[in-house]
Amino acid sequence: MKRFKQARHYPAGYLPAHIEHCQRLLAAMPCAVQLQWNEREVFAEFDGWWLTSDFFAVARHDGEQCAFSHYAARLRIYGQFGQSIPADWLFAMNYAEPKTLALLKLIRVLHLLNHLGRHGPQQGLRIDLDPRICNAHSERIVDFTAALLAALGMPPALLRFLLFIDAGTASTGQALVTRYRSQQHRVGLGGFGEGAHDLACLWALEPDEVVLAPRYSRRAVIYPLVRQQLLALMPQLVAQGFQLGVDEVSCGKMLALSQAMQARYVAGQLVSSLLPAA
């Protein structure tokens, strides 16, 4: 695939010392992985698939205006012929423990390297954790992340995590919240509205923010009953100190609904188009 052809020089904005440090970290793992790069990004080949990072802007919604707040990272997976694979497909594979840890560390390295290279060390970053990797493997890379941030010169307070936790991963999720907070990271609860145990998880974890499941907010735009439920519940949670986030805002109605729910953070195609003007 042409996009993943190795370039001679490091991409502009990326520090060679950072890439070389991460290269040594990944080479020392039981399942060694090698970083590669082109003129615009760092990527890697893992188990026959090309992995790299994508980012979207998250805005802070204050009254009638949207102002940039931080970026959110997304894993992108491509086949040898350019086909795009959903990111959660790779997480669902039953790798042995050394390979799973290698994959998780590689993803963390890709997100941080590409974020720093594209956006610099003073911009905030959100990393989402899928429920299938919200387990012991995730907890074991907390210290790896702390050491990596120190080596890359990114303040820990600028990195936040959004955990997608269900009833089966609640206990591990609580341990992750404690560990990440001890490292000065903000922690949020994602996918809110998808499960019957969401409120129980909310009270147990006490996250800094709650991000609605995009499917839930889309239903609220279409169905009045769902909209009434959201408008009754979410302002109450905001009043109790939880900051609300709404992703995948694609139309004016959804943005207006986010405002009515008193959402602090919004993201999506419409929000990205509004940011330059704001």
Side-chain angles (χ1 to χ4, degrees):
M1 186 177 177
K2 187 176 180 180
R3 174 177 178 175
F4 299 113
K5 182 179 180 181
Q6 176 76 37
R8 289 186 179 183
H9 304 290
Y10 293 122
Y14 289 67
L15 295 181
H18 288 174
I19 297 178
E20 292 164 5
H21 174 78
C22 293
Q23 197 78 283
R24 291 191 296 269
L25 283 179
L26 297 174
M29 296 189 305
C31 299
V33 182
Q34 184 175 10
L35 295 174
Q36 300 181 57
W37 52 86
N38 55 27
E39 295 180 353
R40 63 176 184 170
E41 63 187 345
V42 171
F43 52 87
E45 187 271 336
F46 189 92
D47 203 28
W49 303 94
W50 292 108
L51 275 61
T52 190
S53 305
D54 194 13
F55 302 91
F56 63 87
V58 180
R60 184 185 178 96
H61 196 232
D62 292 321
E64 297 294 332
Q65 292 187 336
C66 293
F68 174 80
S69 174
H70 55 274
Y71 290 98
R74 283 288 183 271
L75 177 67
R76 299 302 183 197
I77 306 175
Y78 299 91
Q80 297 295 331
F81 301 102
Q83 69 273 33
S84 178
I85 307 297
D88 56 1
W89 175 88
L90 193 60
F91 294 145
M93 295 295 290
N94 294 318
Y95 290 125
E97 182 174 314
K99 203 163 189 177
T100 300
L101 287 172
L103 170 62
L104 296 178
K105 290 180 178 180
L106 171 61
I107 295 170
R108 193 62 48 89
V109 164
L110 288 174
H111 286 341
L112 290 176
L113 267 182
N114 283 313
H115 171 67
L116 290 170
R118 296 181 191 180
H119 310 132
Q122 300 306 317
Q123 299 288 358
L125 176 66
R126 186 186 96 190
I127 294 179
D128 298 358
L129 297 184
D130 188 279
R132 281 163 290 192
I133 61 170
C134 187
N135 51 31
H137 298 308
S138 293
E139 190 175 352
R140 288 176 63 180
I141 64 168
V142 174
D143 295 332
F144 173 84
T145 302
L148 182 59
L149 287 172
L152 299 179
M154 181 176 175
L158 290 179
L159 182 61
R160 62 181 71 197
F161 291 92
L162 189 66
L163 307 181
F164 289 75
I165 297 173
D166 54 23
T169 55
S171 59
T172 305
Q174 196 156 17
L176 279 175
V177 169
T178 302
R179 292 289 309 280
Y180 278 127
R181 278 187 171 152
S182 71
Q183 301 290 347
Q184 304 176 44
H185 305 308
R186 290 174 57 85
V187 181
L189 179 64
F192 189 80
E194 289 282 14
H197 302 280
D198 285 347
L199 283 175
C201 287
L202 185 64
W203 306 136
L205 301 177
E206 296 185 349
D208 300 299
E209 63 181 289
V210 181
V211 178
L212 280 178
R215 187 170 61 176
Y216 195 12
S217 53
R218 286 195 296 267
R219 288 201 303 264
V221 172
I222 300 173
Y223 302 111
L225 181 58
V226 179
R227 185 161 59 251
Q228 292 171 12
Q229 293 173 345
L230 276 180
L231 291 175
L233 173 62
M234 301 316 298
Q236 294 184 45
L237 297 181
V238 171
Q240 295 181 49
F242 297 107
Q243 296 180 350
L244 174 62
V246 181
D247 285 352
E248 298 186 21
V249 175
S250 56
C251 65
K253 288 184 178 180
M254 192 173 294
L255 185 61
L257 176 63
S258 303
Q259 182 180 0
M261 291 187 296
Q262 303 177 28
R264 176 69 60 88
Y265 299 109
V266 289
Q269 292 181 347
L270 178 63
V271 175
S272 297
S273 68
L274 295 176
L275 280 177

